[in-house]
Amino acid sequence: MRFLLEMQVSDGARLALPAGRQSATGPVRLTTINAGGMAHRKVADRNWTAMPTIPANDREERLLYPPSTAATLNLAATAAQCARIWKGVDDGFAHRCLMAAEHAYRAALRNRQVFAAQAFPGSGGYGDDDLADEFYWATAELYATTHRLELADALHGMALHASPLTGPRGGAAPPRWGRSRPPRQAACRHRSATRRARNW
């Protein structure tokens, strides 16, 4: 969590970022915006690291990638959750997390369409141009932490709030927990080991 907090842009920082929808074929249009509170989306190599390479032997230059709205909302959500977890354990850290979450959430509301830039050769693009789920998650985590009524109202006003949990949204396939199951052979080995342990 401390690493994520360090990825947050300082107050008052103005950065040239690809705000708004971008052309798939034309040049990237950069707009100078108030990026204070936003989160840089990743740190990654300039070029793909040769495989296999242990981290200590990685000689590629490491880059700090530009902020995006999705990364900012992810910070807001995880920091709000962190504030709940650490409250009563380390109140100072919990307060720091909550302040970062609130700041990130306001920044995301202010800059709703700063999408992850993709034209980099050293790591995955992780493109996502539908941020409805990130907005919902961040709002829900902040509401769970602060119980502020305006956040509850915001949640009720989001399309995801009333959408079915099992149905597709926007043409995308619904999540299926079956994909997270271990392979059948591994599951059989696990059951066999469990039976042996019980018989022991």
Side-chain angles (χ1 to χ4, degrees), residues 5-74:
L5 294 175
E6 294 299 326
M7 296 285 274
Q8 191 165 36
V9 178
S10 300
D11 279 341
R14 298 188 65 80
L15 300 176
L17 298 173
R21 300 285 178 182
Q22 301 288 320
S23 168
T25 56
V28 175
R29 302 186 318 275
L30 298 180
T31 304
T32 300
I33 62 173
N34 175 8
M38 295 189 73
H40 291 274
R41 70 187 184 97
K42 62 179 177 178
V43 174
D45 288 352
R46 179 181 291 277
N47 299 295
W48 286 106
T49 305
M51 297 292 288
T53 301
I54 62 173
N57 293 338
D58 184 0
R59 296 296 178 260
E60 288 291 340
E61 183 182 13
R62 302 284 280 175
L63 301 178
L64 178 64
Y65 283 70
S68 71
T69 304
T72 302
L73 289 165
N74 290 340

Side-chain angles (χ1 to χ4, degrees), residues 38-167:
M38 295 189 73
H40 291 274
R41 70 187 184 97
K42 62 179 177 178
V43 174
D45 288 352
R46 179 181 291 277
N47 299 295
W48 286 106
T49 305
M51 297 292 288
T53 301
I54 62 173
N57 293 338
D58 184 0
R59 296 296 178 260
E60 288 291 340
E61 183 182 13
R62 302 284 280 175
L63 301 178
L64 178 64
Y65 283 70
S68 71
T69 304
T72 302
L73 289 165
N74 290 340
L75 173 61
T78 54
Q81 188 180 74
C82 184
R84 290 199 309 277
I85 293 171
W86 284 95
K87 185 177 181 180
V89 179
D90 185 336
D91 288 336
F93 185 60
H95 178 73
R96 180 187 174 191
C97 289
L98 181 57
M99 293 300 98
E102 298 271 18
H103 197 22
Y105 190 70
R106 290 193 298 270
L109 293 176
R110 188 174 65 245
N111 302 304
R112 288 177 170 268
Q113 289 193 328
V114 179
F115 299 108
Q118 305 299 317
F120 298 101
S123 59
Y126 311 112
D128 184 1
D129 60 0
D130 181 1
L131 305 183
D133 51 342
E134 281 90 352
F135 270 107
Y136 190 86
W137 181 36
T139 306
E141 292 290 357
L142 272 167
Y143 174 67
T145 301
T146 66
H147 307 291
R148 293 208 314 267
L149 293 181
E150 64 267 26
L151 293 170
D153 291 339
L155 284 171
H156 283 95
M158 295 179 181
L160 279 176
H161 191 72
S163 64
L165 294 177
T166 57

